[in-house]
Amino acid sequence: MPKALITGVTGQDGSYLAELLLAKGYEVFGLIRRSSSFSTARIDHLYQDPHEGKPRLKLTYGDLCDGTNISAVLHELQPDEVYNLAAQSHVRVSFDQPIYTVDVGGIGVLRVLEAMRRMNKPPRFYQASSSEMYGRVVETPQTEKTPFYPRSPYGCGKVYAFFQTVNYREAYNLFATNGILFNHESPRRGETFVTRKITRAATRIKLGLQDKLFLGNLDAKRDWGFAGDYVEAMWRMLQHDTPDDFVIATGETHSVREFLDEVFGALDLDWKPYVEIDPRYFRPTEVELLLGDASKARKLLGWEPKVTFKALARMMVDEDMKLARREAILREHGENP
């Protein structure tokens, strides 16, 4: 039975990846930080085998800011594959917490790579790189050969981690890959990210639970896919014969304004009376357009995105409408949601 370690397992991607690997027969370990409260809602359903009552996903404590700890975890578990998804992943927040963002998303990756280098049998390694590395894009669409021009502390940290991954691959012959994933969303997306913020607000507005939605740049364009599709690409990268770097994207770009049209349209609403622009949500340096070319992944990995932009918006609306209805029922009975 192959063994995998997922850092960032409690996040959107971590939960979908854990599901995928468990379905493929892996023994899956998830790395979580010690804290006074755990945000494990996305993975709670993966703890117990419904037939045998045995743990399926196993959690272990660790923190990418602590190299000694990471080394100890890797040497104890001896995983076959490591998927590094841990990060402070909110781009706007990275301007407010730049040092922490880069420590986890940049130096933290180096700590993992260095710990793996010292193992007798280093695992195959996947690094979650990001389209935000392209930032102020110098060509469209963006490919594996497009130069990086990051426009945020988050993007800068990811560029550092990208090149450290390449360096350790070339210097120490590690099986280390970068997945340059463009924006990918789902009903499990955090509510501070613009797509989920929109679907959550729109469904609440539909039921009279909310009056306004405050957003920043409506003209920013992104290549949006479904997170469930993208974790399949992560797995395929580590099954490939040789380590390499791959862009994962849909090849379509849509503005925030278009996402508003899809979401509110699905609810038979016009978004314009409800949406107001708040300068607080603008970044100090904006990324206006991201559009990926995943031809290499299609050719070498056989990977294709399955969920369309429209289907993704509808999926998120349907799930958030369930939450909004439950909230409405609780309010009706005088309970806090």
Side-chain angles (χ1 to χ4, degrees):
M1 178 186 294
K3 185 187 296 186
L5 172 66
I6 304 172
T7 71
V9 71
T10 59
Q12 169 190 252
D13 293 7
S15 67
Y16 281 111
L17 180 60
E19 284 179 345
L20 176 74
L21 296 180
L22 287 168
K24 291 183 179 296
Y26 278 68
E27 183 179 11
V28 181
F29 291 84
L31 193 74
I32 62 170
R33 288 174 296 164
R34 285 193 181 273
S35 65
S36 58
S37 61
F38 297 128
S39 300
T40 58
R42 296 184 181 96
I43 57 172
D44 284 344
H45 64 292
L46 300 177
Y47 288 155
Q48 298 291 327
D49 186 304
H51 302 294
E52 300 181 16
K54 295 180 180 178
R56 300 174 63 205
L57 171 65
K58 302 168 185 176
L59 300 181
T60 187
Y61 292 112
D63 193 324
L64 263 65
C65 294
D66 184 345
T68 302
N69 166 256
I70 291 298
S71 181
V73 169
L74 287 170
H75 280 80
E76 178 184 350
L77 297 181
Q78 294 291 317
D80 300 293
E81 299 172 2
V82 172
Y83 296 86
N84 183 44
L85 313 182
Q88 188 299 103
S89 59
H90 198 290
V91 179
R92 179 61 189 85
V93 171
S94 78
F95 287 98
D96 302 323
Q97 295 185 313
I99 295 173
Y100 174 72
T101 298
V102 175
D103 190 24
V104 177
I107 305 297
V109 180
L110 178 58
R111 294 183 183 110
V112 177
L113 289 165
E114 181 62 11
M116 291 197 313
R117 179 178 75 83
R118 296 175 180 277
M119 296 174 68
N120 291 330
K121 185 183 177 183
R124 294 191 169 200
F125 177 73
Y126 170 84
Q127 166 57 18
S129 292
S130 168
S131 59
E132 287 288 333
M133 299 188 303
Y134 296 116
R136 187 175 180 179
V137 298
V138 299
E139 67 177 9
T140 299
Q142 293 89 54
T143 72
E144 293 82 3
K145 295 182 179 179
T146 302
F148 299 138
Y149 195 146
R151 300 266 283 173
S152 66
Y154 172 81
C156 292
K158 286 291 186 181
V159 169
Y160 176 88
F162 175 94
F163 282 116
Q164 286 290 9
T165 300
V166 172
N167 182 50
Y168 270 69
R169 178 171 73 215
E170 296 177 351
Y172 305 114
N173 200 33
L174 293 184
F175 194 108
T177 70
N178 283 292
I180 308 173
L181 272 57
F182 280 64
N183 291 66
H184 45 289
E185 318 297 316
S186 76
R188 300 179 192 175
R189 190 58 143 150
E191 293 185 21
T192 59
F193 290 84
V194 67
T195 51
R196 184 75 196 289
K197 185 177 180 179
I198 289 171
T199 57
R200 192 78 174 92
T203 52
R204 297 183 81 250
I205 287 169
K206 180 69 175 180
L207 298 186
L209 300 171
Q210 184 171 330
D211 299 321
K212 291 288 184 181
L213 168 60
F214 296 93
L215 296 172
N217 183 8
L218 302 188
D219 296 317
K221 292 184 176 181
R222 294 292 184 270
D223 185 326
W224 275 308
F226 172 51
D229 289 343
Y230 284 36
V231 299
E232 171 80 20
M234 299 177 189
W235 176 77
R236 289 187 180 222
M237 287 180 215
L238 293 198
Q239 313 318 306
H240 194 50
D241 292 338
T242 55
D244 207 341
D245 307 316
F246 295 92
V247 163
I248 303 299
T250 68
E252 296 181 9
T253 189
H254 299 275
S255 67
V256 175
R257 197 180 300 272
E258 288 176 78
F259 194 78
L260 283 166
D261 287 337
E262 285 295 329
V263 169
F264 278 79
L267 297 167
D268 296 318
L269 292 173
D270 177 4
W271 59 265
K272 296 178 185 66
Y274 304 103
V275 174
E276 293 188 11
I277 303 302
D278 189 332
R280 291 179 301 171
Y281 297 116
F282 282 86
R283 303 178 188 178
T285 44
E286 278 289 342
V287 174
E288 298 294 344
L289 168 66
L290 293 173
L291 173 62
D293 179 354
S295 298
K296 182 177 175 181
R298 285 182 169 88
K299 180 180 179 181
L300 298 183
L301 303 179
W303 178 84
E304 293 273 356
K306 299 181 180 69
V307 178
T308 65
F309 176 73
K310 289 179 178 290
L312 175 62
R314 170 60 76 171
M315 177 198 304
M316 295 176 69
V317 167
D318 289 346
E319 289 301 311
D320 276 336
M321 181 54 79
K322 294 176 186 177
L323 289 179
R325 287 187 178 126
R326 284 199 289 270
E327 183 180 348
I329 291 170
L330 288 172
R331 284 198 179 189
E332 186 179 339
H333 290 85
E335 300 177 38
N336 290 323

